[in-house]
Amino acid sequence: YKRQSEESAFTKVVHADDLLMPECLERMVRLGLQHPSAAVIAAYRLDGRRVDLNVLPYPQSFISGRDLCRLRMLGRCGEPFGSPSSIMYRSADVRARREFYPEDNIHADTEICFELLREGDYALEHQVLTYTRHHEAAQTTDARKDGSHGIARLLIANKYGGYFLTPAEKQQAIGMQADYHYIYLARRPWQFLTDRTFRKHHRNALASNGSPFSWLKFALATGKESLKRTQAAISALSRRRMQSAA
């Protein structure tokens, strides 16, 4: 990032496996010029086979950073950032930071968006301009498997909730992300109960982000997930019997 020209107005990242549509740079730059306070400039994304980042109703293309982060933290809008390939930054914001991406967070690309939106705003182009490829070796795939994706969301709720939310809303956001993390743990109960390192890591992650571990919540989440699996198995068996009878 430090090698970019001092005359550069915008910074666009693209991961090696991702794609930019032919009009991506033109449309994003134009939108950035239309909204000088926008620190994060996004567009619809083709994420594998589905389109996302459609967080603003058409034709609204601008929202204050604080309003967007509040909606996101309270679960009142979908994913607004995607991956670094999905968005554009202002080069002045990049040059102003010694380390642009926080090194202590594996999901630093998400955290930097919340950091930028403390002072800046968000603009969205209502057009699919980027493509994110999915494959088993992707870092995001690994993050979802090892739980770091949920821990990062919990960290952001705890770290940035004070900027965008009331104290009560911050606790609500932390609680919501903690509940999601209990679901993650409930889907691998044997590993949590038998792997001391795994258990300590996730208990510490919850506690350090404002939500001390609760065996009751873990047990309730495990029971719900077990019931879901049982119901799904019964439904699958019923469908096979109906197909056989037909």
Side-chain angles (χ1 to χ4, degrees), residues 70-71 73-74 76 157 161-162 164-176:
R70 180 175 181 275
L71 291 172
M73 285 185 164
L74 296 176
R76 297 176 185 174
F164 303 113
L165 306 173
T166 66
E169 288 174 337
K170 177 181 177 180
Q171 290 307 309
Q172 178 185 345
I174 290 174
M176 181 173 63

Side-chain angles (χ1 to χ4, degrees), residues 7 11 54 68 171 184 201 208:
E7 298 178 358
T11 297
N54 51 338
L68 178 76
Q171 290 307 309
Y184 165 82
H201 171 67
S208 63

